[in-house]
Amino acid sequence: MLDAAQDTPTNRPDLPPEIARRRTFAIISHPDAGKTTLTEKFLLYGGAIQMAGQVRAKGEARRTRSDFMQMEKDRGISVSASAMSFDYARPERQYRFNLVDTPGHSDFSEDTYRTLTAVDAAIMVIDGAKGVESQTRKLFEVCRLRDLPILTFCNKMDRESRDTFEIIDEIQENLAIDVTPASWPIGVGRDFLGCYDLIHDRLELMDRADRNKVAESVKMEGLDDPRLDDHIPAELLEKLREEVEMARELLPAMNRQSFLEGHLTPIWFGSAINSFGVKELMDGIAEYGPEPQVQTAEPREVAPEEKKVAGFVFKVQANMDPKHRDRVAFVRLASGHFERGMKLTHVRSKKPMAITNPVMFLASDRELAEEAWAGDIIGIPNHGQLRIGDALTEGEALRFTGIPSFAPELLQSCRAGDPLKAKHLDKALMQFAEEGAAKVFKPNIGSGFIVGVVGALQFEVLASRIEMEYGLPVRFEASQFTSARWVHGAKDAVDKFMAANKQHMATDNDGDPVYLTRMQWDIDRIERDYPDVTLSATKELMV
């Protein structure tokens, strides 16, 4: 089903081989569709781990590898994005996969949004029984805003799932994207035997006995090959031939250009927990996935083949190692060949930074990165110098654009359980604000802090992290305010506005003025009374 003639557009120069073999992508899905399980199997096939730890596995030894916070391990959910780099060998070349596992929980959508600024493609995982769910739709919209190419994996085919055409129709209707089947399932639920690979004409059979084993694969001469009778019961085979014939007539063929522009998604069917269909999906990323792409910045775009190193921080994680109180800034390299020990300019402060101990991640395990290329994601341990949106370059004053910060939808005031420790709370909250885990506002009148988040679960995560990482019990209490807006305008207009609305004013952790609102009426009133001041619900995170 692949039209091989139309490959990549030819107006870009060829990338150096080291950069061209990189594939940087994120996995997105509704909570519980099997995203973290799929991540595990990727690592298993990449040879990065010997045994894929199931999300439900017993004991500490077999916890999933990509969830490193205690809360994630306790609840079996991912609440922070983690990055992993590993090699994947195919006959024609060795690929380097940089995979970012995003939080599936809707309360952490902002972290996910920022993560998607650092990848070149996304894998959308959907549950075969539930189809397209609400959070999938939201995340998909984000990919659409960035024109990210999307590969789809329909998981849990070994359970009772919906009709294949119904699933494809639902994706086409709900997400307004064309779907082309890369594989076709044979049987569903208990009768699920495996898939027919439509791109390479292969029969992929599932091994139910050993979940960590790669199933057998038989090369066929198309669907009329008599050897199919040896592997598939007659009635399932007849159904397979009918359905594939219909699919080939009704659905578009795979077209790489259309996929790279974000108009078409190839879909693979499988069962991540049984390691089935995962390898075909990985081959799909290697074969069709985009190489590192041009990144938008001001005053110019940054191309991956440029000689000079440039990169941007898209996430900061505090206390990944609680013993060291460290922070790690996740940096997506946009161009060049980075080597350990290089001096890069931190554009916001205009100061040089010697990067002596950059790390590569395999979930919570890290190793020193001796070198990295455009497309890679490295971690730079630091003590608060690096913030989300910061650019690192070899001297050029670049600003990477499009990394947003959203106004919080829930506000609560935060106090330390022990009043003598208020200073420590100040420090802890500032760390979380710089990490992007919450917005922290200091009201201009009165004491205490107001913490803003997108979803209620974030308050629980914050309280548990502040207690675990700082030994500080805290209380979150209802606040009179319901949302916050950043204030923009000429200095004298803003000063006049702030003087007249003191009881509503606060500053965020960058020192920018914020107007705290109680209801929509407050915002309408300001727009009417102060035409030269604008209230904004988003703020670009850049220097």
Side-chain angles (χ1 to χ4, degrees):
M1 288 188 78
L2 179 75
D3 178 1
Q6 27 56 330
D7 212 29
T8 29
T10 47
N11 50 5
R12 290 268 321 278
D14 280 348
L15 291 177
E18 206 41 65
I19 295 177
R21 74 186 190 93
R22 279 161 164 71
R23 299 286 181 269
T24 305
F25 57 94
I27 299 191
I28 60 171
S29 82
H30 193 81
D32 218 30
K35 179 162 51 78
T36 303
T37 309
L38 184 65
T39 306
E40 295 286 301
K41 299 296 170 145
F42 271 30
L43 296 177
L44 181 73
Y45 283 122
I49 53 176
Q50 263 41 69
M51 177 176 169
Q54 239 105 65
V55 181
R56 297 195 189 74
K58 296 274 187 290
E60 280 302 311
R62 293 186 56 188
R63 296 288 186 195
T64 58
R65 297 295 287 266
S66 56
D67 291 345
F68 55 83
M69 277 191 212
Q70 195 53 45
M71 184 162 189
E72 296 181 301
K73 294 173 181 175
D74 295 344
R75 294 194 180 197
I77 54 170
S78 302
V79 295
S80 74
S82 55
M84 284 152 273
S85 300
F86 56 95
D87 285 325
Y88 179 60
R90 292 195 70 210
E92 72 277 12
R93 79 204 285 194
Q94 177 108 332
Y95 288 89
R96 177 73 172 183
F97 281 1
N98 295 308
L99 177 152
V100 186
D101 181 22
T102 60
H105 203 288
S106 59
D107 289 2
F108 298 90
S109 48
E110 190 172 346
D111 196 13
T112 304
Y113 197 116
R114 284 199 291 263
T115 301
L116 290 172
T117 58
V119 297
D120 302 312
I123 292 176
M124 175 169 73
V125 185
I126 59 176
D127 182 323
K130 295 178 186 159
V132 178
E133 298 172 85
S134 58
Q135 186 61 18
T136 319
R137 221 169 276 135
K138 262 193 195 163
L139 291 167
F140 180 82
E141 284 309 314
V142 175
C143 296
R144 166 78 33 95
L145 287 173
R146 305 192 58 78
D147 287 328
L148 278 183
I150 292 178
L151 303 99
T152 306
F153 183 69
C154 184
N155 193 16
K156 306 192 183 181
M157 294 305 290
D158 58 325
R159 304 191 186 171
E160 286 312 316
S161 53
R162 295 174 30 195
D163 175 70
T164 312
F165 282 108
E166 204 181 302
I167 293 169
I168 290 176
D169 279 351
E170 187 177 12
I171 297 172
Q172 298 199 126
E173 276 173 32
N174 274 322
L175 307 178
I177 188 168
D178 287 331
V179 180
T180 179
S183 70
W184 199 267
I186 305 166
V188 295
R190 277 192 195 155
D191 304 330
F192 180 65
L193 294 179
C195 287
Y196 190 80
D197 180 338
L198 295 168
I199 293 176
H200 305 103
D201 269 322
R202 278 196 306 241
L203 179 64
E204 307 289 348
L205 296 170
M206 185 168 88
D207 184 347
R208 281 179 184 263
D210 183 354
R211 287 186 163 178
N212 286 335
K213 209 177 96 186
V214 183
E216 72 169 308
S217 165
V218 189
K219 181 82 182 131
M220 292 287 165
E221 303 294 319
L223 280 165
D224 300 327
D225 195 318
R227 289 176 303 156
L228 281 169
D229 300 331
D230 307 340
H231 299 284
I232 306 176
E235 71 279 4
L236 283 179
L237 182 55
E238 192 184 333
K239 188 175 177 220
L240 172 71
R241 285 179 175 142
E242 269 174 31
E243 289 186 341
V244 170
E245 195 178 323
M246 273 171 68
R248 283 187 164 146
E249 283 189 11
L250 297 172
L251 298 169
M254 175 68 187
N255 173 319
R256 184 162 190 238
Q257 197 43 45
S258 178
F259 157 68
L260 290 175
E261 286 166 5
H263 307 312
L264 174 82
T265 176
I267 183 168
W268 282 263
F269 293 87
S271 160
I273 204 160
N274 289 304
S275 305
F276 183 76
V278 178
K279 191 168 179 312
E280 291 71 42
L281 177 63
M282 291 174 84
D283 287 343
I285 298 163
E287 225 166 298
Y288 308 120
E291 299 166 335
Q293 297 292 296
V294 173
Q295 299 291 326
T296 52
E298 288 180 357
R300 62 179 191 85
E301 293 189 323
V302 181
E305 67 273 7
E306 289 174 27
K307 292 281 183 279
K308 291 196 164 174
V309 173
F312 61 93
V313 178
F314 66 94
K315 177 184 167 58
V316 174
Q317 182 71 48
N319 304 333
M320 273 178 90
D321 182 351
K323 291 198 271 298
H324 292 288
R325 277 268 168 277
D326 68 339
R327 291 185 204 191
V328 175
F330 286 70
V331 174
R332 153 78 196 233
L333 291 179
S335 64
H337 176 205
F338 167 85
E339 290 175 288
R340 182 156 90 95
M342 266 180 121
K343 269 203 166 69
L344 293 178
T345 303
H346 178 219
V347 175
R348 179 166 51 90
S349 65
K350 302 187 177 59
K351 289 183 180 154
M353 270 181 95
I355 318 263
T356 48
N357 52 352
V359 289
M360 283 275 193
F361 299 96
L362 196 106
S364 57
D365 303 339
R366 7 171 158 173
E367 51 185 62
L368 275 176
E370 291 301 331
E371 58 166 8
W373 296 78
D376 282 338
I377 290 170
I378 57 171
I380 300 180
N382 67 98
H383 290 289
Q385 301 96 313
L386 292 175
R387 301 219 297 250
I388 292 171
D390 278 357
L392 291 168
T393 66
E394 288 193 47
E396 192 180 350
L398 288 171
R399 303 182 317 183
F400 288 89
T401 55
I403 304 172
S405 179
F406 298 104
E409 294 167 20
L410 300 168
L411 297 177
Q412 291 195 355
S413 58
C414 179
R415 298 189 191 289
D418 176 352
L420 298 174
K421 292 196 171 164
K423 260 225 161 71
H424 295 299
L425 177 64
D426 185 346
K427 200 170 144 203
L429 287 174
M430 282 304 150
Q431 277 230 348
F432 290 122
E434 281 168 22
E435 189 184 302
K439 303 283 179 297
V440 176
F441 305 119
K442 182 93 181 84
N444 292 1
I445 294 177
S447 64
F449 292 91
I450 289 185
V451 176
V453 296
V454 178
L457 182 64
Q458 281 178 284
F459 285 126
E460 281 183 54
V461 172
L462 277 176
S464 90
R465 283 186 63 186
I466 292 171
E467 187 157 353
M468 277 182 63
E469 295 168 19
Y470 294 87
L472 245 183
V474 293
R475 293 199 303 277
F476 282 108
E477 295 159 355
S479 153
Q480 58 169 344
F481 300 112
T482 56
S483 81
R485 293 288 181 271
W486 282 279
V487 182
H488 303 285
K491 189 175 181 323
D492 49 344
V494 171
D495 289 346
K496 182 181 154 201
F497 165 76
M498 284 168 65
N501 292 282
K502 280 185 186 141
Q503 69 284 15
H504 283 269
M505 295 311 298
T507 49
D508 69 5
N509 64 305
D510 295 324
D512 291 333
V514 173
Y515 176 76
L516 300 174
T517 72
R518 283 182 295 229
M519 49 191 144
Q520 184 59 39
W521 183 83
D522 287 334
I523 298 176
D524 297 341
R525 179 181 67 89
I526 300 298
E527 285 172 353
R528 191 184 64 234
D529 297 353
Y530 297 90
D532 41 3
V533 168
T534 46
L535 298 181
S536 156
T538 56
K539 169 172 130 173
E540 275 263 335
L541 289 172
M542 58 183 195
V543 189

